Amino acid sequence: MRVTFTANGRPVEADDVWEGESLLFMLRERLGLPGSKNACEQGECGSCTVYLDGSPVCSCLVAAGQVQDREVRTVEGLTDADGGLDPVQQAFVDAGAVQCGFCTPGLLVQTHDLLERTPSPSDNDIREALSGNLCRCTGYEKIMDAVRLASARKCANGVEGAHK
């Protein structure tokens, strides 16, 4: 089947999609968007998190055909209009929260979503928002530091509101 939708603000279509194909597979293998990672294929690790119509979802659990005429935003779509890093992405770099990088895309999308909804989250808010994302390298403290840093920077710059 053919699936037509919007990916990162651009209309796209994928041909020869089979019925059981996941959104994750379609994004990575058919559309050349490898940012979302394939780890558990069960929605347990969060490394494949993307926005679907403005809400974070595990793309390994979404059938490709379900995104027909919908909007998908991947970690690649978080960059600003000039192709620069989003404040969340920059904060992860600056805080040293990126190690092997496998969990990073999902953490970035979830953090981006959290800060859109709650510009100044508490540590408990951060833990709750990221509870579906597993990281085996960092011990989470640098990730927490990165979320706090992104929040502080966004608040200092007066950046808040709806999803871009």
Side-chain angles (χ1 to χ4, degrees):
M1 77 176 127
R2 172 178 287 163
V3 180
T4 305
F5 62 103
T6 302
N8 298 329
R10 294 187 317 244
V12 296
E13 57 182 45
D15 290 319
D16 300 321
V17 175
W18 54 279
E19 289 179 18
E21 190 169 307
S22 70
L23 172 58
L24 175 62
F25 183 89
M26 183 172 64
L27 291 170
R28 291 179 55 82
E29 305 301 328
R30 297 187 186 278
L31 300 176
L33 295 169
S36 302
K37 303 302 181 204
N38 185 2
C40 72
E41 295 184 348
Q42 297 176 18
E44 296 290 328
C45 71
S47 66
C48 67
T49 304
V50 300
Y51 283 115
L52 179 58
D53 293 335
S55 296
V57 298
C58 290
S59 60
C60 70
L61 297 180
V62 177
Q66 289 181 293
V67 303
Q68 179 68 36
D69 300 324
R70 296 176 77 183
E71 184 176 332
V72 174
R73 187 173 179 202
T74 68
V75 68
E76 291 95 340
L78 294 184
T79 57
D80 67 23
D82 298 325
L85 296 179
D86 179 84
V88 170
Q89 293 169 313
Q90 189 62 56
F92 268 67
V93 172
D94 294 345
V98 178
Q99 295 213 356
C100 82
F102 213 77
C103 65
T104 306
L107 285 165
L108 289 170
V109 172
Q110 285 291 88
T111 299
H112 186 270
D113 182 66
L114 168 65
L115 296 181
E116 291 290 314
R117 292 182 290 108
T118 310
S120 297
S122 68
D123 282 359
N124 284 338
D125 293 334
I126 297 169
R127 284 186 195 96
E128 177 67 27
L130 302 183
S131 64
N133 295 78
L134 302 179
C135 176
R136 295 185 177 157
C137 300
T138 65
Y140 296 96
E141 196 52 44
K142 291 195 180 280
I143 293 168
M144 295 288 290
D145 291 344
V147 178
R148 290 183 202 109
L149 180 59
S151 172
R153 287 178 177 170
K154 285 184 131 192
C155 287
N157 292 328
V159 177
E160 56 183 272
H163 297 289
K164 294 179 188 174

